[in-house]
Amino acid sequence: RVSRQHNAGARGWLPAVFRMAEWDADLDHIIPSAVLPPFWAKLVVGFASLLCFARSYDGDFVFDDSEAIVNNKDLRAETPLGDLWRHDFWGSRLSSNTSHKSYRPLTVLTFRVNYYLSGGFHPASFHAVNILLHGGISVLLVDVFSVLFGGLHFTSKGRRLNLAPRSSLLAALLFAVHPVHTECVAGVVGRADLLGALFFLLSFLGYCKAFRETHKEGTRSTFWVLLSILLGAVAMLCKEQGITVLGLNAVFDILVMSKLNVLAVVQKVLHKDRSFENPGLLRNGGLLFRMTLLAAGGAGMLYVRWKIMGTGPPAFTEVDNPASFADSMLVRAINYNYYYSLNAWLLLCPWWLCFDWSMGCIPLIKSVGDWRVIALAALWFCLIGLICQALCSEDSHKRRILSLGLGFLIIPFLPASNLFFRVGFVVAERVLYLPSAGFCMLLTFGFGALSKHTKKKKPIAALVLGVLLINTLRCMVRSGEWRSEEQLFRSALSVCPLNAKVHYNVGKNLADKGNQTAAIRYYREAVRLNPKYVHAMNNLGNILKERNELQEAEELLSLAVQIQPDFAAAWMNLGIVQNSLKRFQAAEQSYRTAIKHRRKYPDCYYNLGRLYADLNRHVDALHAWRNATALKPEHSLAWNNMIILLDNTGNLAQAEAVGREALELIPNDHSLMFSLANVLGKSQKYKESEALFLKAIKAHPNAASYHGNLAVLYHRWGHLDLAKKHYEISLRLDPSASGTKENYGLLRRKLEQMQKRNV
């Protein structure tokens, strides 16, 4: 017999169970019976999910991976574990005004474990974890969809009825191969969304466990509800979106387990029906208790989260989310809804995918006359139609599936909707990872409904198979694009040609590879598209500085600091340009301004020291370089300049002391070995100097100056044959070295004189 579910009698549930089974059977011509057993269904889903994204396995760290992983000190062993709970996702202090307030300590912890187990920043291990996580989530969704499609109906022995095997398998397959997931899976930082989704689903399944009747009919397990809340908190510590599982649990409990008919309730309220004054829903103490627990848990999480944030919400700029800065509420509302329609289009047709949708990629809609308003009208037309069916359909099974599908689509998306707070993006494919499960559920239901009302089943089966195959191929192609920054950035040019950040990133990638001419072209286009893009101006100014186009470099950097007065890097680069133009006073002022805005700026202290050295202000130069090494003990250039300056000014003892101090901190730096060897040679400590020269040459055998200076040492020391050998090696490596040629000539004349004397 079928046991009771909540307050409804078994008699009422038998027709419902049969209706659910009938809906699932509509997909029998699409899903073969051989893969319906849970083990085989999960195996198929897992294989499909791994197949789609396997190409990203040996990809590089790309885009945001650099900041969140490679440059994040929280991954290093020397950083205390406790710092993970005080820092944001990017390794900055949460109390800082510049922090993005993205608090995901558990995700960062998995990065740290990855780093430790792989012995460093080896991207393959990071990518492998992401791919496996997506596979696990896709497999877990088979169980989740089974509950959403089939409901929670148990026999007297506690065995679930109607697992909806066809519907759950098809929905899970659609999810597993959806191309919009590529950013989360192929981009390592997408692990936050993957972990958040994993614990989100575990929390939902845990909540469902509370409705499994064991000892006596009608009992509910408080333990499972509390465990579900705890798992929701864990999900939130992986990605902020995780807290929304509490809302989904509440919707599931009210609409499915308590069988609340929203339309009937609204009608009774409007008609002042007295029967509503004491409905079964309000008499249900178990439901009210569970809602109280969920509400208290959610409020507690939000309170703790707010306290941790410290200084309030993060500060975003207009280029991050231009619609949120619009003065008109109507303009904001229209653009927000247009963004929703774009998100819906990405779920429906995930062909145009881009790593970044900001900076002019989606121009603002400023009037209702813009043709793009049609898109948001179409979105709301579809949504209202689905909501009406979810509320008004006479078929309770249809109402339930549409309500849960919409809930799964909308509730996890709410934190990214701009409704409660401003977000730092326009459209982001990563935030669609969880909502796409609701979309896949609705799509599966649509295929079932289409099959039910169509006599020709084969075209429907071909359509479903075509969607799965096309999405799988698109995933493979897109995963390949995420393997390297060059491919990723160039793939965005055709999708978002108006996005200044895309052109900036292509330019930066080209500059890193030494192609400055092409990089300049893309940087100029980025500045043209966004005349206030200070980072593009700074990078373009740097390249022009290296090409000795100093006037234009100064103009660009001056404009950058005028637009953003606290841009420390631009101030420093402006100082370098002014120094090259012999405008020393202005250069010093620029360096000082940079340090004012970024107190811990070792590179700026280094450049300030170079300026003082050029002005023969030796004490000030040494002081600036000492500040650089204090802030960054491994700053090799600052140490070298101190040694060389002390050497050139005849302070050999002090130069030797500084050199030894530097080598203690950076023992494998061959340039420091070389500088200290020169000092020791002048101090006639030939043996120790020789050892350091040889060690430097072993580390960098093709450095002509290393062989040349070792030859000078041997020349002074009287080891003339060795001197001759290293002079010749040095001249082979650099035939144009005039000093070495001169010294070699002196040595040869000396050797010839010695030969004549011996004869």
Side-chain angles (χ1 to χ4, degrees), residues 550 576-585 587 614:
L550 299 177
I576 295 171
V577 171
Q578 290 166 335
N579 192 7
S580 301
L581 290 167
K582 309 298 183 187
R583 295 175 52 207
F584 300 121
Q585 191 173 354
D614 290 342

Side-chain angles (χ1 to χ4, degrees), residues 268-315:
K268 286 182 179 182
V269 170
L270 292 176
H271 293 91
K272 298 181 180 179
D273 192 334
R274 291 187 177 182
S275 64
F276 183 70
E277 293 174 6
N278 194 22
L281 183 66
L282 296 179
R283 290 200 307 268
N284 184 353
L287 173 66
L288 293 176
F289 178 65
R290 291 191 298 278
M291 292 302 104
T292 303
L293 286 179
L294 289 174
M301 288 184 213
L302 289 174
Y303 175 75
V304 172
R305 178 76 172 79
W306 185 260
K307 292 291 287 184
I308 288 171
M309 277 171 63
T311 56

Side-chain angles (χ1 to χ4, degrees), residues 382-395:
C382 295
L383 275 179
I384 291 169
L386 287 171
I387 291 168
C388 287
Q389 286 293 307
L391 294 178
C392 305
S393 175
E394 295 180 359
D395 186 340

